mmCIF file of all heavy atoms in Angstrom:
data_model
loop_
_atom_site.group_PDB
_atom_site.id
_atom_site.type_symbol
_atom_site.label_atom_id
_atom_site.label_comp_id
_atom_site.label_asym_id
_atom_site.label_seq_id
_atom_site.Cartn_x
_atom_site.Cartn_y
_atom_site.Cartn_z
ATOM 1 N N PRO A 6 0.945 13.287 3.751
ATOM 2 C CA PRO A 6 0.120 14.249 4.495
ATOM 3 C C PRO A 6 -0.053 15.540 3.693
ATOM 4 O O PRO A 6 0.924 16.115 3.229
ATOM 5 C CB PRO A 6 0.903 14.501 5.782
ATOM 6 C CG PRO A 6 2.253 13.920 5.589
ATOM 7 C CD PRO A 6 2.241 13.068 4.360
ATOM 8 N N MET A 7 -1.299 15.934 3.504
ATOM 9 C CA MET A 7 -1.583 17.140 2.741
ATOM 10 C C MET A 7 -2.010 18.256 3.679
ATOM 11 O O MET A 7 -2.667 18.024 4.679
ATOM 12 C CB MET A 7 -2.702 16.874 1.730
ATOM 13 C CG MET A 7 -2.388 15.778 0.730
ATOM 14 S SD MET A 7 -1.127 16.227 -0.484
ATOM 15 C CE MET A 7 -2.116 17.155 -1.646
ATOM 16 N N ARG A 8 -1.631 19.461 3.318
ATOM 17 C CA ARG A 8 -2.046 20.623 4.085
ATOM 18 C C ARG A 8 -2.478 21.703 3.103
ATOM 19 O O ARG A 8 -2.057 21.715 1.957
ATOM 20 C CB ARG A 8 -0.884 21.169 4.942
ATOM 21 C CG ARG A 8 -0.440 20.234 6.050
ATOM 22 C CD ARG A 8 -1.485 20.122 7.142
ATOM 23 N NE ARG A 8 -1.084 19.230 8.219
ATOM 24 C CZ ARG A 8 -1.301 17.922 8.230
ATOM 25 N NH1 ARG A 8 -1.881 17.335 7.204
ATOM 26 N NH2 ARG A 8 -0.933 17.195 9.260
ATOM 27 N N LYS A 9 -3.274 22.631 3.600
ATOM 28 C CA LYS A 9 -3.782 23.681 2.722
ATOM 29 C C LYS A 9 -2.988 24.969 2.915
ATOM 30 O O LYS A 9 -2.807 25.424 4.039
ATOM 31 C CB LYS A 9 -5.253 23.915 3.062
ATOM 32 C CG LYS A 9 -5.944 24.876 2.126
ATOM 33 C CD LYS A 9 -7.423 24.919 2.484
ATOM 34 C CE LYS A 9 -8.105 26.036 1.752
ATOM 35 N NZ LYS A 9 -9.533 26.065 2.023
ATOM 36 N N CYS A 10 -2.524 25.532 1.816
ATOM 37 C CA CYS A 10 -1.821 26.808 1.884
ATOM 38 C C CYS A 10 -2.853 27.893 2.165
ATOM 39 O O CYS A 10 -3.854 27.994 1.457
ATOM 40 C CB CYS A 10 -1.103 27.085 0.560
ATOM 41 S SG CYS A 10 -0.436 28.749 0.467
ATOM 42 N N VAL A 11 -2.608 28.711 3.190
ATOM 43 C CA VAL A 11 -3.589 29.737 3.565
ATOM 44 C C VAL A 11 -3.659 30.872 2.545
ATOM 45 O O VAL A 11 -4.609 31.631 2.521
ATOM 46 C CB VAL A 11 -3.322 30.325 4.975
ATOM 47 C CG1 VAL A 11 -3.458 29.247 6.039
ATOM 48 C CG2 VAL A 11 -1.977 31.013 5.060
ATOM 49 N N VAL A 12 -2.639 30.974 1.690
ATOM 50 C CA VAL A 12 -2.617 32.054 0.710
ATOM 51 C C VAL A 12 -3.364 31.666 -0.566
ATOM 52 O O VAL A 12 -4.240 32.371 -1.030
ATOM 53 C CB VAL A 12 -1.166 32.477 0.378
ATOM 54 C CG1 VAL A 12 -1.159 33.625 -0.628
ATOM 55 C CG2 VAL A 12 -0.447 32.906 1.648
ATOM 56 N N THR A 13 -3.009 30.489 -1.122
ATOM 57 C CA THR A 13 -3.604 30.099 -2.405
ATOM 58 C C THR A 13 -4.829 29.207 -2.236
ATOM 59 O O THR A 13 -5.610 29.056 -3.163
ATOM 60 C CB THR A 13 -2.581 29.329 -3.262
ATOM 61 O OG1 THR A 13 -2.227 28.122 -2.560
ATOM 62 C CG2 THR A 13 -1.335 30.154 -3.511
ATOM 63 N N GLY A 14 -4.963 28.602 -1.046
ATOM 64 C CA GLY A 14 -6.077 27.682 -0.833
ATOM 65 C C GLY A 14 -5.850 26.314 -1.459
ATOM 66 O O GLY A 14 -6.729 25.470 -1.465
ATOM 67 N N GLU A 15 -4.640 26.083 -1.992
ATOM 68 C CA GLU A 15 -4.347 24.791 -2.613
ATOM 69 C C GLU A 15 -3.934 23.764 -1.575
ATOM 70 O O GLU A 15 -3.251 24.093 -0.607
ATOM 71 C CB GLU A 15 -3.159 24.939 -3.570
ATOM 72 C CG GLU A 15 -3.438 25.660 -4.848
ATOM 73 C CD GLU A 15 -2.134 25.813 -5.633
ATOM 74 O OE1 GLU A 15 -1.358 26.735 -5.313
ATOM 75 O OE2 GLU A 15 -1.898 24.992 -6.529
ATOM 76 N N MET A 16 -4.306 22.516 -1.820
ATOM 77 C CA MET A 16 -3.828 21.417 -0.992
ATOM 78 C C MET A 16 -2.490 20.970 -1.569
ATOM 79 O O MET A 16 -2.371 20.720 -2.763
ATOM 80 C CB MET A 16 -4.805 20.244 -1.038
ATOM 81 C CG MET A 16 -6.138 20.519 -0.368
ATOM 82 S SD MET A 16 -6.037 20.922 1.394
ATOM 83 C CE MET A 16 -5.711 19.298 2.101
ATOM 84 N N LYS A 17 -1.498 20.879 -0.714
ATOM 85 C CA LYS A 17 -0.163 20.460 -1.164
ATOM 86 C C LYS A 17 0.434 19.498 -0.153
ATOM 87 O O LYS A 17 0.043 19.499 1.007
ATOM 88 C CB LYS A 17 0.758 21.678 -1.272
ATOM 89 C CG LYS A 17 0.344 22.644 -2.341
ATOM 90 C CD LYS A 17 1.452 23.634 -2.610
ATOM 91 C CE LYS A 17 1.095 24.431 -3.847
ATOM 92 N NZ LYS A 17 2.221 25.198 -4.332
ATOM 93 N N PRO A 18 1.416 18.705 -0.605
ATOM 94 C CA PRO A 18 2.121 17.868 0.378
ATOM 95 C C PRO A 18 2.744 18.758 1.450
ATOM 96 O O PRO A 18 3.268 19.819 1.140
ATOM 97 C CB PRO A 18 3.208 17.182 -0.453
ATOM 98 C CG PRO A 18 2.726 17.245 -1.860
ATOM 99 C CD PRO A 18 1.907 18.507 -1.961
ATOM 100 N N LYS A 19 2.636 18.291 2.687
ATOM 101 C CA LYS A 19 3.090 19.084 3.818
ATOM 102 C C LYS A 19 4.528 19.573 3.654
ATOM 103 O O LYS A 19 4.882 20.660 4.084
ATOM 104 C CB LYS A 19 2.954 18.224 5.078
ATOM 105 C CG LYS A 19 3.003 18.990 6.360
ATOM 106 C CD LYS A 19 2.552 18.087 7.486
ATOM 107 C CE LYS A 19 3.473 18.227 8.673
ATOM 108 N NZ LYS A 19 3.071 17.349 9.761
ATOM 109 N N LYS A 20 5.376 18.750 3.015
ATOM 110 C CA LYS A 20 6.787 19.135 2.916
ATOM 111 C C LYS A 20 7.038 20.310 1.965
ATOM 112 O O LYS A 20 8.105 20.911 1.988
ATOM 113 C CB LYS A 20 7.667 17.928 2.563
ATOM 114 C CG LYS A 20 7.424 17.330 1.199
ATOM 115 C CD LYS A 20 8.426 16.187 0.973
ATOM 116 C CE LYS A 20 8.478 15.706 -0.456
ATOM 117 N NZ LYS A 20 7.187 15.438 -1.087
ATOM 118 N N GLU A 21 6.043 20.644 1.159
ATOM 119 C CA GLU A 21 6.197 21.805 0.278
ATOM 120 C C GLU A 21 5.742 23.102 0.948
ATOM 121 O O GLU A 21 5.839 24.177 0.383
ATOM 122 C CB GLU A 21 5.367 21.620 -0.999
ATOM 123 C CG GLU A 21 5.933 20.561 -1.926
ATOM 124 C CD GLU A 21 5.077 20.365 -3.156
ATOM 125 O OE1 GLU A 21 4.325 21.290 -3.537
ATOM 126 O OE2 GLU A 21 5.151 19.262 -3.732
ATOM 127 N N LEU A 22 5.192 22.936 2.151
ATOM 128 C CA LEU A 22 4.675 24.102 2.867
ATOM 129 C C LEU A 22 5.497 24.330 4.116
ATOM 130 O O LEU A 22 6.189 23.439 4.586
ATOM 131 C CB LEU A 22 3.214 23.849 3.266
ATOM 132 C CG LEU A 22 2.242 23.557 2.122
ATOM 133 C CD1 LEU A 22 0.949 22.997 2.675
ATOM 134 C CD2 LEU A 22 1.961 24.789 1.317
ATOM 135 N N ILE A 23 5.413 25.524 4.640
ATOM 136 C CA ILE A 23 6.081 25.803 5.918
ATOM 137 C C ILE A 23 5.013 26.263 6.905
ATOM 138 O O ILE A 23 4.062 26.931 6.519
ATOM 139 C CB ILE A 23 7.220 26.837 5.739
ATOM 140 C CG1 ILE A 23 8.012 27.021 7.035
ATOM 141 C CG2 ILE A 23 6.714 28.181 5.268
ATOM 142 C CD1 ILE A 23 9.374 26.429 7.016
ATOM 143 N N ARG A 24 5.164 25.853 8.142
ATOM 144 C CA ARG A 24 4.168 26.187 9.157
ATOM 145 C C ARG A 24 4.627 27.387 9.977
ATOM 146 O O ARG A 24 5.759 27.460 10.423
ATOM 147 C CB ARG A 24 3.968 24.977 10.086
ATOM 148 C CG ARG A 24 2.863 25.152 11.103
ATOM 149 C CD ARG A 24 2.601 23.816 11.795
ATOM 150 N NE ARG A 24 1.526 23.932 12.759
ATOM 151 C CZ ARG A 24 1.724 23.982 14.085
ATOM 152 N NH1 ARG A 24 2.921 23.919 14.592
ATOM 153 N NH2 ARG A 24 0.694 24.094 14.900
ATOM 154 N N ILE A 25 3.706 28.322 10.124
ATOM 155 C CA ILE A 25 3.932 29.464 11.001
ATOM 156 C C ILE A 25 3.036 29.211 12.201
ATOM 157 O O ILE A 25 1.869 28.853 12.028
ATOM 158 C CB ILE A 25 3.491 30.800 10.337
ATOM 159 C CG1 ILE A 25 3.810 30.849 8.854
ATOM 160 C CG2 ILE A 25 4.067 31.989 11.083
ATOM 161 C CD1 ILE A 25 5.225 30.701 8.467
ATOM 162 N N VAL A 26 3.567 29.387 13.379
ATOM 163 C CA VAL A 26 2.779 29.045 14.557
ATOM 164 C C VAL A 26 2.730 30.211 15.544
ATOM 165 O O VAL A 26 3.689 30.952 15.688
ATOM 166 C CB VAL A 26 3.328 27.741 15.211
ATOM 167 C CG1 VAL A 26 4.661 27.973 15.880
ATOM 168 C CG2 VAL A 26 2.344 27.162 16.204
ATOM 169 N N ARG A 27 1.568 30.372 16.165
ATOM 170 C CA ARG A 27 1.430 31.349 17.249
ATOM 171 C C ARG A 27 1.215 30.574 18.538
ATOM 172 O O ARG A 27 0.256 29.807 18.663
ATOM 173 C CB ARG A 27 0.217 32.259 16.989
ATOM 174 C CG ARG A 27 -0.090 33.181 18.168
ATOM 175 C CD ARG A 27 -1.262 34.104 17.922
ATOM 176 N NE ARG A 27 -2.494 33.422 17.575
ATOM 177 C CZ ARG A 27 -3.348 32.896 18.459
ATOM 178 N NH1 ARG A 27 -3.111 32.938 19.750
ATOM 179 N NH2 ARG A 27 -4.457 32.315 18.037
ATOM 180 N N SER A 28 2.113 30.765 19.477
ATOM 181 C CA SER A 28 2.001 30.075 20.763
ATOM 182 C C SER A 28 0.897 30.726 21.591
ATOM 183 O O SER A 28 0.440 31.815 21.252
ATOM 184 C CB SER A 28 3.322 30.175 21.520
ATOM 185 O OG SER A 28 3.516 31.519 21.926
ATOM 186 N N LYS A 29 0.528 30.052 22.680
ATOM 187 C CA LYS A 29 -0.531 30.644 23.499
ATOM 188 C C LYS A 29 -0.092 31.950 24.158
ATOM 189 O O LYS A 29 -0.908 32.760 24.556
ATOM 190 C CB LYS A 29 -1.106 29.646 24.498
ATOM 191 C CG LYS A 29 -0.141 29.084 25.509
ATOM 192 C CD LYS A 29 -0.895 28.116 26.433
ATOM 193 C CE LYS A 29 -0.116 27.785 27.689
ATOM 194 N NZ LYS A 29 1.173 27.118 27.410
ATOM 195 N N GLU A 30 1.229 32.173 24.226
ATOM 196 C CA GLU A 30 1.736 33.451 24.729
ATOM 197 C C GLU A 30 1.630 34.552 23.666
ATOM 198 O O GLU A 30 1.886 35.711 23.950
ATOM 199 C CB GLU A 30 3.206 33.341 25.156
ATOM 200 C CG GLU A 30 3.444 32.477 26.383
ATOM 201 C CD GLU A 30 3.391 30.989 26.091
ATOM 202 O OE1 GLU A 30 3.810 30.577 24.990
ATOM 203 O OE2 GLU A 30 2.922 30.240 26.967
ATOM 204 N N GLY A 31 1.325 34.132 22.444
ATOM 205 C CA GLY A 31 1.186 35.114 21.377
ATOM 206 C C GLY A 31 2.455 35.318 20.554
ATOM 207 O O GLY A 31 2.520 36.205 19.718
ATOM 208 N N ASP A 32 3.471 34.474 20.789
ATOM 209 C CA ASP A 32 4.701 34.580 19.996
ATOM 210 C C ASP A 32 4.518 33.883 18.662
ATOM 211 O O ASP A 32 4.089 32.734 18.611
ATOM 212 C CB ASP A 32 5.880 33.913 20.725
ATOM 213 C CG ASP A 32 6.193 34.598 22.049
ATOM 214 O OD1 ASP A 32 6.095 35.836 22.098
ATOM 215 O OD2 ASP A 32 6.516 33.883 23.015
ATOM 216 N N VAL A 33 4.867 34.591 17.602
ATOM 217 C CA VAL A 33 4.765 33.999 16.270
ATOM 218 C C VAL A 33 6.149 33.537 15.851
ATOM 219 O O VAL A 33 7.128 34.270 15.988
ATOM 220 C CB VAL A 33 4.213 35.027 15.256
ATOM 221 C CG1 VAL A 33 4.205 34.440 13.851
ATOM 222 C CG2 VAL A 33 2.808 35.444 15.655
ATOM 223 N N SER A 34 6.229 32.297 15.373
ATOM 224 C CA SER A 34 7.523 31.807 14.903
ATOM 225 C C SER A 34 7.327 30.855 13.735
ATOM 226 O O SER A 34 6.225 30.360 13.489
ATOM 227 C CB SER A 34 8.262 31.091 16.038
ATOM 228 O OG SER A 34 7.490 30.019 16.518
ATOM 229 N N ILE A 35 8.425 30.613 13.028
ATOM 230 C CA ILE A 35 8.396 29.674 11.913
ATOM 231 C C ILE A 35 8.692 28.301 12.498
ATOM 232 O O ILE A 35 9.602 28.142 13.301
ATOM 233 C CB ILE A 35 9.435 30.083 10.854
ATOM 234 C CG1 ILE A 35 9.023 31.436 10.256
ATOM 235 C CG2 ILE A 35 9.544 29.023 9.764
ATOM 236 C CD1 ILE A 35 10.085 32.081 9.411
ATOM 237 N N ASP A 36 7.906 27.321 12.095
ATOM 238 C CA ASP A 36 8.004 25.990 12.679
ATOM 239 C C ASP A 36 8.349 24.973 11.591
ATOM 240 O O ASP A 36 7.465 24.336 11.022
ATOM 241 C CB ASP A 36 6.650 25.670 13.331
ATOM 242 C CG ASP A 36 6.626 24.282 13.942
ATOM 243 O OD1 ASP A 36 7.705 23.690 14.113
ATOM 244 O OD2 ASP A 36 5.524 23.802 14.243
ATOM 245 N N PRO A 37 9.646 24.810 11.292
ATOM 246 C CA PRO A 37 10.039 23.894 10.215
ATOM 247 C C PRO A 37 9.675 22.435 10.500
ATOM 248 O O PRO A 37 9.421 21.664 9.577
ATOM 249 C CB PRO A 37 11.561 24.049 10.125
ATOM 250 C CG PRO A 37 11.898 25.238 10.944
ATOM 251 C CD PRO A 37 10.800 25.421 11.943
ATOM 252 N N THR A 38 9.603 22.057 11.772
ATOM 253 C CA THR A 38 9.305 20.665 12.102
ATOM 254 C C THR A 38 7.800 20.391 12.067
ATOM 255 O O THR A 38 7.368 19.258 11.960
ATOM 256 C CB THR A 38 9.800 20.313 13.525
ATOM 257 O OG1 THR A 38 9.105 21.147 14.464
ATOM 258 C CG2 THR A 38 11.289 20.519 13.667
ATOM 259 N N GLY A 39 6.993 21.457 12.175
ATOM 260 C CA GLY A 39 5.541 21.283 12.200
ATOM 261 C C GLY A 39 5.041 20.697 13.508
ATOM 262 O O GLY A 39 3.924 20.216 13.590
ATOM 263 N N LYS A 40 5.867 20.729 14.548
ATOM 264 C CA LYS A 40 5.489 20.060 15.793
ATOM 265 C C LYS A 40 5.248 20.985 16.976
ATOM 266 O O LYS A 40 4.878 20.534 18.046
ATOM 267 C CB LYS A 40 6.558 19.024 16.158
ATOM 268 C CG LYS A 40 6.565 17.854 15.186
ATOM 269 C CD LYS A 40 7.577 16.801 15.590
ATOM 270 C CE LYS A 40 7.470 15.546 14.745
ATOM 271 N NZ LYS A 40 7.566 15.785 13.309
ATOM 272 N N LYS A 41 5.483 22.257 16.805
ATOM 273 C CA LYS A 41 5.280 23.178 17.937
ATOM 274 C C LYS A 41 3.806 23.265 18.297
ATOM 275 O O LYS A 41 2.946 23.179 17.427
ATOM 276 C CB LYS A 41 5.779 24.577 17.580
ATOM 277 C CG LYS A 41 7.279 24.710 17.575
ATOM 278 C CD LYS A 41 7.664 26.152 17.314
ATOM 279 C CE LYS A 41 9.169 26.298 17.200
ATOM 280 N NZ LYS A 41 9.539 27.643 16.741
ATOM 281 N N ALA A 42 3.558 23.479 19.585
ATOM 282 C CA ALA A 42 2.180 23.642 20.029
ATOM 283 C C ALA A 42 1.720 25.052 19.698
ATOM 284 O O ALA A 42 2.499 25.993 19.752
ATOM 285 C CB ALA A 42 2.090 23.400 21.522
ATOM 286 N N GLY A 43 0.460 25.172 19.368
ATOM 287 C CA GLY A 43 -0.089 26.498 19.094
ATOM 288 C C GLY A 43 -0.914 26.488 17.825
ATOM 289 O O GLY A 43 -1.117 25.457 17.205
ATOM 290 N N ARG A 44 -1.387 27.644 17.455
ATOM 291 C CA ARG A 44 -2.230 27.802 16.280
ATOM 292 C C ARG A 44 -1.329 27.930 15.062
ATOM 293 O O ARG A 44 -0.520 28.848 14.981
ATOM 294 C CB ARG A 44 -3.067 29.067 16.462
ATOM 295 C CG ARG A 44 -3.889 29.467 15.261
ATOM 296 C CD ARG A 44 -5.309 28.953 15.407
ATOM 297 N NE ARG A 44 -6.115 29.496 14.308
ATOM 298 C CZ ARG A 44 -6.548 28.772 13.297
ATOM 299 N NH1 ARG A 44 -6.257 27.508 13.210
ATOM 300 N NH2 ARG A 44 -7.293 29.310 12.359
ATOM 301 N N GLY A 45 -1.466 27.019 14.125
ATOM 302 C CA GLY A 45 -0.585 27.019 12.960
ATOM 303 C C GLY A 45 -1.284 27.425 11.683
ATOM 304 O O GLY A 45 -2.493 27.261 11.540
ATOM 305 N N ALA A 46 -0.507 27.956 10.776
ATOM 306 C CA ALA A 46 -0.998 28.232 9.427
ATOM 307 C C ALA A 46 0.092 27.788 8.465
ATOM 308 O O ALA A 46 1.276 28.017 8.709
ATOM 309 C CB ALA A 46 -1.276 29.726 9.257
ATOM 310 N N TYR A 47 -0.307 27.119 7.393
ATOM 311 C CA TYR A 47 0.668 26.653 6.417
ATOM 312 C C TYR A 47 0.709 27.587 5.226
ATOM 313 O O TYR A 47 -0.320 28.077 4.779
ATOM 314 C CB TYR A 47 0.314 25.243 5.928
ATOM 315 C CG TYR A 47 0.613 24.179 6.956
ATOM 316 C CD1 TYR A 47 -0.329 23.817 7.904
ATOM 317 C CD2 TYR A 47 1.853 23.556 6.985
ATOM 318 C CE1 TYR A 47 -0.049 22.844 8.854
ATOM 319 C CE2 TYR A 47 2.136 22.582 7.932
ATOM 320 C CZ TYR A 47 1.194 22.231 8.854
ATOM 321 O OH TYR A 47 1.473 21.276 9.800
ATOM 322 N N ILE A 48 1.917 27.796 4.710
ATOM 323 C CA ILE A 48 2.088 28.660 3.547
ATOM 324 C C ILE A 48 3.074 27.993 2.591
ATOM 325 O O ILE A 48 4.026 27.355 3.023
ATOM 326 C CB ILE A 48 2.560 30.073 3.976
ATOM 327 C CG1 ILE A 48 2.714 30.986 2.765
ATOM 328 C CG2 ILE A 48 3.839 30.017 4.785
ATOM 329 C CD1 ILE A 48 2.997 32.436 3.134
ATOM 330 N N THR A 49 2.810 28.120 1.296
ATOM 331 C CA THR A 49 3.710 27.574 0.293
ATOM 332 C C THR A 49 5.038 28.324 0.369
ATOM 333 O O THR A 49 5.052 29.543 0.483
ATOM 334 C CB THR A 49 3.106 27.735 -1.120
ATOM 335 O OG1 THR A 49 1.805 27.148 -1.117
ATOM 336 C CG2 THR A 49 3.965 27.053 -2.174
#
Side-chain angles (χ1 to χ4, degrees):
M7 301 289 279
R8 293 290 180 272
K9 186 175 170 177
C10 171
V11 297
V12 181
T13 62
E15 287 176 279
M16 292 300 285
K17 294 193 170 192
K19 197 167 135 181
K20 65 177 192 312
E21 289 178 24
L22 301 166
I23 186 108
R24 186 170 181 256
I25 322 301
V26 71
R27 173 179 57 83
S28 69
K29 61 179 195 299
E30 292 77 34
D32 297 322
V33 176
S34 59
I35 295 168
D36 178 15
T38 62
K40 291 183 172 55
K41 285 184 184 171
R44 173 97 173 108
Y47 286 89
I48 181 172
T49 306

